[in-house]
Amino acid sequence: MHQRTADVNALRTLLHETGHVFPQGIRSLSRMKALVEDDTSDLHSLIREECIDLLAQIAEKTARIIERTTRLKALADESHRARRLQTMPVVGPITAIAAEAFGSDMAVFTTGRNFAAWPGLVPRQHSSGGKERLGRMTKAGQADIRRLLIFGAMSRLN
């Protein structure tokens, strides 16, 4: 996905140099494609060829992303543990497969806080004598799983 985003940004930059401004992101790809494929536009033939090459690369990467996402969803549907993880509101098939692949057995975690501490989602504790002192987020643990869980939580909040 990062490579596809880079290609879309390269296409947008190339078109921006010719005076055609588009917003960031893949949402405006159809408008950029329409401009490149329009024979009456003011694009030079060399720039048009480069844009067509970039559009082909973007289409290829999009097809690969769709195919791999479909395979991951099918894999998540086959696994009992991944299906159970997906019952949580912020966990989708990709996060469930990643947690299953990198994580230990869920029976190891006695509480939800222990599970949250595994990817590094809880603050460091400096508590003693009955007085709780919580520090910053530790960021120790599984960075990939933490990133996926944070993305899921942010999408849920939005």
Side-chain angles (χ1 to χ4, degrees):
M1 292 183 91
H2 293 289
Q3 293 172 354
R4 181 181 68 175
T5 303
D7 287 344
V8 170
N9 287 337
L11 176 65
R12 188 175 59 83
T13 302
L14 190 60
L15 291 173
H16 188 271
E17 288 178 359
T18 61
H20 300 282
V21 180
F22 293 97
Q24 283 186 343
I26 199 161
R27 289 184 212 127
S28 59
L29 182 63
S30 59
R31 290 179 33 213
M32 288 187 274
K33 185 176 181 178
L35 174 70
V36 170
E37 292 174 349
D38 184 16
D39 293 332
T40 61
S41 66
D42 61 343
L43 293 177
H44 192 272
S45 61
L46 290 175
I47 292 179
R48 187 183 309 274
E49 288 176 21
E50 185 65 30
C51 290
I52 289 172
D53 287 344
L54 282 170
L55 285 169
Q57 289 177 14
I58 292 167
E60 176 187 337
K61 288 176 183 167
T62 300
R64 288 173 53 196
I65 289 169
I66 291 170
E67 185 247 332
R68 291 207 175 127
T69 303
T70 305
R71 285 179 33 202
L72 279 174
K73 286 180 181 178
L75 186 62
D77 288 340
E78 292 174 5
S79 170
H80 174 69
R81 190 166 144 197
R83 281 196 313 266
R84 287 185 57 206
L85 283 170
Q86 289 181 67
T87 61
M88 297 185 338
V90 299
V91 177
I94 294 174
T95 307
I97 289 295
E100 183 177 10
F102 292 118
S104 57
D105 187 26
M106 294 297 162
V108 173
F109 305 115
T110 55
T111 63
R113 181 181 171 83
N114 289 343
F115 174 74
W118 168 64
L121 290 172
V122 295
R124 184 182 302 267
Q125 289 195 12
H126 302 285
S127 306
S128 68
K131 185 172 184 178
E132 287 190 19
R133 294 187 186 126
L134 300 177
R136 64 175 185 83
M137 299 295 273
T138 60
K139 295 186 180 171
Q142 289 287 334
D144 297 330
I145 308 274
R146 180 176 60 243
R147 181 177 48 87
L148 289 171
L149 289 171
I150 289 171
F151 284 165
M154 293 303 291
S155 68
R156 179 76 176 192
L157 287 174
N158 288 336

